[in-house]
Amino acid sequence: MDRFELIATAAFGLEGLVARELARLGIEAKAENGGARFFGSFEDAFRANLHARCADRILLVMGRFEARSFEALFEGVRALPWEDFIGEHTRFPVNGKCARSQLMSVRDCQAITKKAIVERLRGRYRTDWFVEDAETVSIDVALHGDVAQLTLDASGTALNRRGYRTWNGEAPLRETLAAALVSLSPWRPGMPLHDPMCGTGTLMIEAAMRMAHRAPGLTREFAIESWRNMPTEAFGDIREQARAEFDPSRIEGISGSDIDPRAVRLARRHAERAGVGNAVRFDTADVRDFKSALPEGVVVTNPPYGERLLEKREAEELYRVFGRAVRDLPPKWRVLVLSSHTEFERSFGRPAVKKRKLYNGMIKCDAFFYGGK
C-alpha cells in the first residue's frame, strides 16, 4: 500500500484537536502551525476527509524543495511525478501563496508552476495541448521563506461544508469551529448540553452528530474520489462503515433556544438535514429566561459580538442579561462562550476561569470558560 505525506489544515488554535482526531482514527499525526501532518494511504486521506470534525482540508504533499529563484521553482516543480495524478484531460488549476519569500509575486509563482507541470506532462503524454475537460485536481504552491511546498487538495469543497446548512446568516459560525468548541468544552456525551442563543443551530447539531457517531462528511463528496486510479471500492466500504456507525438513538439531552423564531425554524430544518432532527430540541425563548433545575450541565454558545449583528452597547447588554441567567444555574453547570468583544468579561459580570484564542473566520476571538459559581 502506497503511503504519502498528508496535511490536515486547521484554523489557528485547533491544530492539536485535529491531531487528536486523526489519532482516534488510527492515524499518527503531528500538530504544527496551520494543521497536523501525517503519513498514510489514499484510504487514510479519504477516512480523514470523512471523519475529521475540526480540519479545514486534507492535502497530499507532492514535494518540498528550496526555491530561491523562479528558475529553481520551475525545475523543482517539473521534477515531481505529476503524471501519477494528472491525465491528458484532467483540469488542474494552480493556487498560490507566499510568505517571507524572495519570490513574492503569487501570480508569477502560479504561472511558473503551471508551466512546469505542463512541460513535465508534454514529455509523458507526447502532446502540446491539454484540453482540461475531465476531473479536477487542484494544486497549491506555497512558498514560505525559501522553501516551496506543492500539494494536491484531496477535499475539494472545504470540510466545514457538511451539507446540512441552507442559510448561513450574516456572521455564521463555521461547522468546524462549532465542532471544536464542543470538543473544547467540558461536555461529554450523556451530559445535558444547551445553547441559549443557538441561532440556526450549528453548535448543537455538531454535538448531536458527535454523540450519534455521525461522520461529518457522510453525505458529501471529496475531490480525491474523482482522481485517477483511486481505490474507489475501498472508499465505498469506508463510507458504508460510517453509515452503519451512525445511530441517532444515542442522542439525548441536547437542546437550543433563540429569541428569533425564524432562526429556530432554520435550526430545526438543519437538524433534520443532518439526520438528527428528532433528537435535538429547539425552542423560541429569550436568553433572560434561561434556567434549569438539572444539577449539572454545560452551556456552549456563540452570542453576537457587537460587530455586525448588533451594536456594541446592545451586545454588552445581552452579555449582562446572559451573565445574570447563568449565575442562577445550579453550581455544577459549566459555560463556554465564544466572543470577539474585548469587554466581554466585564459585561458578563465576572472573569473567565481560563481563555483560549481562536478565530471565527477572520475574526479574532476568545473562548471564555466558566466553571460554575
Side-chain angles (χ1 to χ4, degrees):
M1 181 182 295
D2 291 332
R3 288 175 61 81
F4 304 89
E5 183 178 357
L6 297 139
I7 302 170
T9 67
F12 172 82
L14 303 185
E15 298 93 342
L17 275 180
V18 170
R20 290 193 291 274
E21 281 188 328
L22 293 171
R24 286 193 289 272
L25 295 174
I27 300 170
E28 184 178 350
K30 182 178 180 181
E32 61 180 32
N33 288 337
R37 195 176 295 265
F38 63 102
F39 289 85
S41 62
F42 291 130
E43 289 89 342
D44 290 327
F46 180 80
R47 191 176 291 108
N49 269 315
L50 185 66
H51 288 283
R53 299 186 186 278
C54 304
D56 291 329
R57 293 182 183 277
I58 306 300
L59 306 178
L60 186 149
V61 179
M62 283 293 293
R64 191 183 303 103
F65 52 86
E66 190 175 270
R68 296 177 180 271
S69 66
F70 288 124
E71 181 180 1
L73 176 63
F74 181 90
E75 294 300 332
V77 172
R78 187 170 63 171
L80 299 174
W82 299 104
E83 63 277 6
D84 291 349
F85 298 93
I86 300 174
E88 289 186 68
H89 291 268
T90 302
R91 180 175 177 270
F92 54 104
V94 177
N95 305 301
K97 58 183 176 182
C98 299
R100 297 191 293 275
S101 170
Q102 296 183 50
L103 312 181
M104 286 304 296
S105 171
V106 175
R107 182 175 296 180
D108 286 344
C109 289
Q110 289 174 271
I112 288 168
T113 297
K114 181 84 172 187
K115 183 178 179 181
I117 296 171
V118 169
E119 187 68 22
R120 167 90 181 196
L121 296 178
R122 278 177 178 168
R124 295 301 185 274
Y125 296 127
R126 309 297 181 187
T127 182
D128 289 328
W129 183 257
F130 294 91
V131 180
E132 298 193 45
D133 61 356
E135 73 281 353
T136 297
V137 176
S138 293
I139 299 165
D140 289 274
V141 53
L143 287 106
H144 190 275
D146 296 320
V147 176
Q149 178 174 269
L150 279 295
T151 57
L152 307 183
D153 182 357
S155 298
T157 304
L159 295 180
N160 67 287
R161 301 298 181 90
R162 319 287 208 214
Y164 64 77
R165 264 200 329 208
T166 58
W167 182 81
N168 290 328
E170 293 183 52
L173 179 69
R174 288 186 179 181
E175 295 91 327
T176 44
L177 179 55
L181 290 173
V182 170
S183 294
L184 290 170
S185 79
W187 177 78
R188 296 296 176 265
M191 299 173 63
L193 179 67
H194 185 75
D195 181 355
M197 293 173 279
C198 69
T200 58
T202 306
L203 274 163
M204 298 301 97
I205 292 169
E206 289 295 322
M209 287 167 55
R210 175 182 162 187
M211 200 171 188
H213 295 182
R214 197 267 205 192
L218 189 61
T219 59
R220 55 159 288 176
E221 296 180 347
F222 308 103
I224 193 172
E225 295 179 82
S226 67
W227 291 359
R228 303 170 67 228
N229 305 317
M230 289 295 103
T232 53
E233 185 174 340
F235 291 170
D237 291 342
I238 293 169
R239 193 183 291 275
E240 282 304 313
Q241 182 181 354
R243 286 197 181 98
E245 291 173 354
F246 176 35
D247 182 5
S249 69
R250 293 174 176 269
I251 303 169
E252 61 176 343
I254 298 177
S255 59
S257 57
D258 199 277
I259 196 171
D260 184 352
R262 294 170 299 177
V264 172
R265 285 195 294 270
L266 278 171
R268 289 172 181 154
R269 182 187 304 172
H270 293 170
E272 289 172 3
R273 288 170 60 89
V276 299
N278 294 327
V280 183
R281 178 177 174 177
F282 290 107
D283 296 305
T284 302
D286 192 322
V287 67
R288 72 181 68 242
D289 298 323
F290 172 55
K291 56 187 176 182
S292 177
L294 296 172
E296 65 177 324
V298 176
V299 170
V300 180
T301 192
N302 174 50
Y305 302 158
E307 295 185 6
R308 294 183 182 179
L309 299 182
L310 290 176
E311 294 297 327
K312 184 176 181 180
R313 291 180 181 175
E314 291 177 305
E316 290 174 353
E317 176 59 24
L318 178 63
Y319 301 155
R320 280 190 285 272
V321 168
F322 178 43
R324 288 194 292 269
V326 166
R327 282 194 290 276
D328 290 335
L329 290 172
K332 289 187 178 181
W333 275 75
R334 302 293 182 263
V335 178
L336 189 160
V337 186
L338 183 73
S339 179
S340 68
H341 201 300
T342 57
E343 297 296 319
F344 173 81
E345 290 170 289
R346 177 185 60 79
S347 300
F348 187 74
R350 53 180 164 145
V353 173
K354 67 175 181 177
K355 294 188 289 187
R356 180 165 179 157
K357 293 189 182 301
L358 297 171
Y359 278 84
N360 185 3
M362 298 300 293
I363 303 173
K364 184 178 179 181
C365 298
D366 280 296
F368 298 93
F369 296 81
Y370 292 91
K373 295 181 181 178

